[in-house]
Amino acid sequence: GILQLRRYEEAIRLCEQSMVFAERNFSGCEIYQVKLWRWFFISKSHFHLGRLEAALNLLEKLEKVGSTKEM
């Protein structure tokens, strides 16, 4: 995929741009999965770019959503 090619900036842009599309076309549980997937890849891209604080912020957001969903 795009991360394997080390095109991290492009991966971030693609995930962010496709979020609007996802929000229009998914609902319920599906939208959480779609958002989580995108946040994970954005975080991973930030990590590889050395933007550790941005990566950590997204991981904390993922953790919060995951713990909320488990309740």
Side-chain angles (χ1 to χ4, degrees):
I2 199 166
L3 290 181
Q4 293 172 331
L5 296 174
R6 298 183 180 178
R7 295 165 66 179
Y8 304 118
E9 292 287 351
E10 189 176 341
I12 292 169
R13 276 193 308 278
L14 180 63
C15 287
E16 289 174 345
Q17 291 171 351
S18 63
M19 189 69 76
V20 173
F21 170 80
E23 290 173 345
R24 288 184 192 154
N25 293 292
F26 293 95
S27 63
C29 186
E30 291 176 331
I31 191 64
Y32 285 109
Q33 293 172 350
V34 170
K35 284 183 176 184
L36 293 176
W37 181 87
R38 281 167 174 73
W39 289 338
F40 171 77
F41 281 104
I42 292 171
S43 176
K44 190 171 183 175
S45 295
H46 281 304
F47 174 82
H48 286 293
L49 289 168
R51 300 175 189 157
L52 303 181
E53 190 166 331
L56 181 59
N57 288 339
L58 279 170
L59 289 175
E60 289 171 346
K61 191 175 191 177
L62 282 166
E63 183 178 52
K64 184 184 283 188
V65 170
S67 66
T68 303
K69 196 165 192 286
E70 291 173 4
M71 294 181 162

